[in-house]
Structure formats: structure tokens, C-alpha cells
């Protein structure tokens, strides 16, 4: 009985993970960084210390297997949290990641369906992943990143969608928000969105209020499609009930809460630490992603895989008037209000105690600006945040919309002013 046909039966899953872990120890001995680490030669995961992200960024070549001299694909991280990190992959890396993600996405994508990806194809692997899964599942594939100037800009995208009629669209939330605005301005949203059944969001943290807003505008199902990184591969994939399931067939997942590291289990919240079972070019053991997550229990879809809610990077919270805020906390309030398609937080130097919130109003927003501002002021006050000023503008810079693993929240939605 294979894993999928068993419904991810814990016994079947456990046997497969044990076999992969046995193979992983051998690969780790070929990696300079891990070869002499405690617990590796003894094959004792509980004895291996946590691998900080900084170690990988400082010396990425030390994490490559010495026996590998040829790679199938070369990628780099976006560099949004520092210098880009080389992330080459072997064919086996690509194949395992594709099949692992497909076990969940096949609940939404069917053979013969038409898929469109509005994510960048340069350097980062995310667009390749979508194309690989679509091909594996027997779907038709279109790549059309609208920020690729001179290739598939907004005008070309309108024509492509009109002729191609995609049923499933993969995109970063910011890209969808920007395109929705443009289609509304041109009176084209109803026509372009007519064939779309699902919008699969990835590349950035998205919140339920934002997904609900996009779903209403497109009259489509909006799902949080995946979670992972260029370094680790895809750690979780989204099902048809808008839950992200940990891909435990590909990763050993632990949760770091303070100084305590525990196996991922429902109810735990902390930083996600992952051991990659399907990475062959550059395996990782107990790698601290730096992302804050909460592990959940059952999902209506019936998959026997835990769900995970991603709150964002632990280092990306900001202080406004003494209150720590994450992207999730801010966007849950902002996108819970009607008529907003973007925002910018402006903090005053040197300590950021005074914060100004700049809102981008939708092209068809109704009602006075003052009512909108006061409603948000009240919602933020409930969590202890007092903005020095809330203003609205017709359009924010496109940098805040170009996402898909290419933008960093603190660099595009946060601005320091004197």
C-alpha cells in the first residue's frame, strides 16, 4: 500500500520516513558542515544541535555534498533577508518535491485543467515547482509574470487570459491585488475572471480576510497554496479547504518554543525547525527557518497530515507605540475592512514609537475616507496600537505588489522617516 492510497496512514508514513532518515545520515556525512556535528555519526537526531539560518548564509558551500560535482538546476534565495544564498538542486530534489506537493494539490488540480502561473521564473524555483506539478498531474500550463517588462505585461496578460481561459491561477497576493485594481479600472474583471475557479496564493504570507476579499472579487475559491523556502523545499501544501498540511513524508518537523524543541504536534506554537528528508544536493538537519507557526489538528478534507498556520518570520515583527506587530496582525485588520488594496507603515526615527499608516483605497471603494480611517483606528486600538495618523492614497508604489518570493515585507511595507 502506498502513502497516498493509505490516506497518509501513520504507520505507512512512519515506515517511509524511517527509511528516508536512514539514507539521510549517509548524505550528511558527505556535507562538511554536518560531518563532524554531534549526533550525526551516531545517527541520533535528538543529539544534533539546531542549525541556524546564519550558518548557511555565511558559508553556503559548506552545506553541499562533497561527492556532487554536477547539478541539474541552479537557484538562489531572493536575498530579502541578506545576501542571496546559492541553492543548487539535483534531479532527485526536483522529483521528490514535485511528487510530495502533488499529493495535496491533486485535490484541486485535475488532469486536463488549465493552470496559469503569475510568479517569476528567474533564479527562484517557485514557478518551476508549479509547472512541474501541473505537468505531473496532467494539466496545461501557462507562465505569465506581469512584472517581466516587455514579455507579459498587464495588457498582454489580459489578452492571454481571454484566450487561454485558465481555471487555476497561482500568484502572490500583492500581484493579485494590483491586477484586480487594473481590471476594475478597465471594466474587465468580470470577463477575465469568468473561467477562474481557484486562485492559489503563495510567495508571501496571506491572511484569511485578504483571501476572502479576493474570492469575493473574483468569484472564485482562494487558497493558501504552499509554505516553504528555496533552502528547504516545500514544507506544507494547501488543500481545498484552505488549510496547509505539513508534508511529513518529506520533512521531520519540530517546534522551538524558547529553548525547548519538540516534535510538531497540534497546539504547539513557535519557530519551525525542519530536517529535509528529500534534499540530495544540500541536505539540512534541524534547520531553524525562523518562521513562527502554529500546528493544528484535523481538517475537513480528511488528510491525516497536521495543518500549520504560518505567522511570518520571527525577526519581521515591528514595534508601534510599544506594541509588537507582525504582517499577519496588521493585515488581518486592514484587509478585514472594505475598500483597501494595500498599505504602508511609516515609523519615525529613531525608536519607531510614532507610527503613520498609509492606506491604498480600491478603485471602486465607497463611503467617506474619514469613516474608513476611524473604523481602522478603532480596530487597532483594541490591540493597543495608536497610530499618530491614518491617511489614504489612490496608489502605492508597485514595489509593494511585485511579490512572489521577490519582496520582503519589512522592505516594501515599512518605511522609516525622520
Amino acid at each position: 500500500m502506498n502513502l497516498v492510497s493509505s490516506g497518509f496512514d501513520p504507520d505507512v508514513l512512519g515506515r517511509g520516513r524511517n527509511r528516508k532518515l536512514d539514507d539521510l545520515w549517509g548524505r550528511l556525512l558527505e556535507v562538511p558542515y554536518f560531518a563532524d556535528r554531534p549526533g550525526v555519526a551516531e545517527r541520533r537526531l535528538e543529539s544534533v544541535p539546531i542549525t541556524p539560518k546564519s550558518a548557511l548564509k555565511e558559508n553556503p558551500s559548506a552545506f553541499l555534498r562533497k561527492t556532487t560535482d554536477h547539478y541539474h538546476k541552479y537557484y538562489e534565495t531572493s536575498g530579502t533577508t541578506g545576501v542571496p544564498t546559492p541553492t543548487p538542486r539535483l534531479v532527485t530534489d526536483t522529483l521528490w518535491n514535485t511528487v510530495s506537493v502533488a499529493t495535496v494539490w491533486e485535490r484541486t488540480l485535475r488532469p486536463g485543467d488549465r493552470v496559469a502561473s503569475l510568479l517569476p521564473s528567474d533564479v527562484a524555483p517557485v514557478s518551476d515547482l508549479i509547472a512541474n506539478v501541473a505537468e505531473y498531474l496532467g494539466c496545461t500550463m501557462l507562465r505569465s509574470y506581469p512584472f517581466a517588462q516587455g514579455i507579459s505585461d498587464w495588457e498582454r496578460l489580459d489578452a492571454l487570459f481571454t484566450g487561454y481561459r485558465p481555471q487555476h491561477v497561482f500568484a502572490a497576493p500583492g500581484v493579485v491585488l494590483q491586477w484586480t485594481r487594473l481590471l476594475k479600472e478597465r471594466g474587465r474583471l468580470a470577463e477575465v475572471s469568468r473561467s477562474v475557479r481557484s486562485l492559489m496564493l503563495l510567495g508571501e504570507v496571506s491572511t484569511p480576510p485578504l483571501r476572502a476579499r479576493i474570492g469575493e472579487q473574483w468569484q472564485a475559491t482562494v487558497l493558501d497554496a504552499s509554505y516553504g523556502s528555496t533552502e528547504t523545499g516545500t514544507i506544507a501544501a494547501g488543500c481545498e479547504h484552505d488549510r496547509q498540511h505539513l508534508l511529513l513524508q518529506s520533512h521531520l518537523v519540530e517546534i522551538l518554543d524558547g529553548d525547548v524543541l519538540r516534535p510538531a504536534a497540534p497546539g504547539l506554537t513557535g519557530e519551525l525547525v525542519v530536517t529535509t528528508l528529500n534534499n540530495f544536493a544540500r541536505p539540512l538537519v534541524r534547520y531553524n527557518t525562523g518562521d513562527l507557526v502554529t500546528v493544528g489538528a484535523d481538517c475537513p478534507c480528511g488528510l491525516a497530515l497536521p495543518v500549520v498556520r504560518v505567522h511570518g518570520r520571527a525577526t519581521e515583527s515591528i514595534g508601534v507605540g510599544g506594541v509588537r506587530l507582525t504582517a499577519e496582525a496588521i493585515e488581518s485588520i486592514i484587509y478585514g475592512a472594505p475598500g483597501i488594496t494595500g498599505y504602508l507603515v511609516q515609523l519615525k526615527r529613531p525608536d519607531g514609537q510614532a507610527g503613520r499608516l498609509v492606506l491604498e483605497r480600491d478603485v471602486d471603494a465607497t463611503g467617506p475616507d474619514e469613516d474608513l480611517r476611524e473604523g481602522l483606528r478603532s480596530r487597532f486600538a483594541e490591540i493597543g496600537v495608536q497610530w499618530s495618523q491614518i491617511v489614504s492614497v489612490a496608489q502605492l508604489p508597485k514595489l509593494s505588489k511585485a511579490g512572489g518570493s521577490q519582496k520582503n515585507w519589512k522592505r516594501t511595507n515599512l518605511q522609516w522617516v525622520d
Side-chain angles (χ1 to χ4, degrees), residues 68-91:
T68 303
D69 57 7
H70 172 73
Y71 298 102
H72 173 62
K73 297 279 187 179
Y74 180 85
Y75 300 113
E76 289 188 355
T77 62
S78 63
T80 56
T81 58
V83 177
T85 304
T87 311
R89 292 185 180 174
L90 299 172
V91 172

Side-chain angles (χ1 to χ4, degrees), residues 304-328:
L305 293 171
V307 298
V308 63
R309 181 178 177 184
V310 183
H311 304 293
R313 289 178 179 144
T315 57
E316 288 216 331
S317 65
I318 60 172
V320 179
V323 179
R324 300 305 300 181
L325 290 175
T326 61
E328 180 188 43

Side-chain angles (χ1 to χ4, degrees), residues 150-213:
I151 300 176
S152 56
D153 56 17
W154 302 112
E155 293 287 349
R156 179 74 182 278
L157 195 60
D158 189 331
L160 282 169
F161 269 51
T162 302
Y164 178 59
R165 293 294 179 192
Q167 295 157 306
H168 311 282
V169 178
F170 287 81
V175 174
V176 175
L177 289 172
Q178 177 73 347
W179 197 29
T180 304
R181 284 177 58 90
L182 293 172
L183 290 172
K184 285 182 178 180
E185 288 175 346
R186 300 169 182 176
R188 293 281 299 158
L189 180 58
E191 174 63 23
V192 170
S193 65
R194 184 175 300 167
S195 64
V196 178
R197 300 204 304 258
S198 69
L199 285 154
M200 312 282 282
L201 303 185
L202 66 170
E204 307 162 21
V205 172
S206 69
T207 57
L210 175 58
R211 296 196 292 276
R213 169 79 53 76

Side-chain angles (χ1 to χ4, degrees), residues 86-105:
T87 311
R89 292 185 180 174
L90 299 172
V91 172
T92 45
D93 294 291
T94 300
L95 290 175
W96 275 114
N97 197 52
T98 297
V99 173
S100 182
V101 174
T103 60
V104 180
W105 283 1

Side-chain angles (χ1 to χ4, degrees), residues 339-340 342 356-362 368-370 372-373 376 389-396:
I340 302 174
R356 181 174 184 255
L357 181 62
V358 182
L359 306 171
E360 179 186 78
R361 293 211 64 177
D362 205 345
D369 279 2
E370 184 61 27
L372 173 64
R373 292 194 294 267
L376 286 175
Q389 189 180 20
I390 300 178
V391 300
S392 59
V393 297
Q395 180 81 54
L396 285 171

Side-chain angles (χ1 to χ4, degrees), residues 279-336:
N279 283 19
F280 289 79
R282 196 188 61 186
L284 294 170
V285 61
R286 285 197 155 179
Y287 178 71
N288 189 348
T289 65
D291 291 331
L292 287 173
V293 304
T294 296
V295 182
D298 297 337
C299 173
C301 76
L303 282 175
L305 293 171
V307 298
V308 63
R309 181 178 177 184
V310 183
H311 304 293
R313 289 178 179 144
T315 57
E316 288 216 331
S317 65
I318 60 172
V320 179
V323 179
R324 300 305 300 181
L325 290 175
T326 61
E328 180 188 43
I330 293 175
E331 294 184 4
S332 291
I333 293 176
I334 287 177
Y335 292 126

Side-chain angles (χ1 to χ4, degrees), residues 33 144 204 209 222-223 234 246 253 266 339-340:
Y33 181 86
S144 50
E204 307 162 21
V222 181
L223 305 175
T234 310
L246 287 171
V253 181
I340 302 174

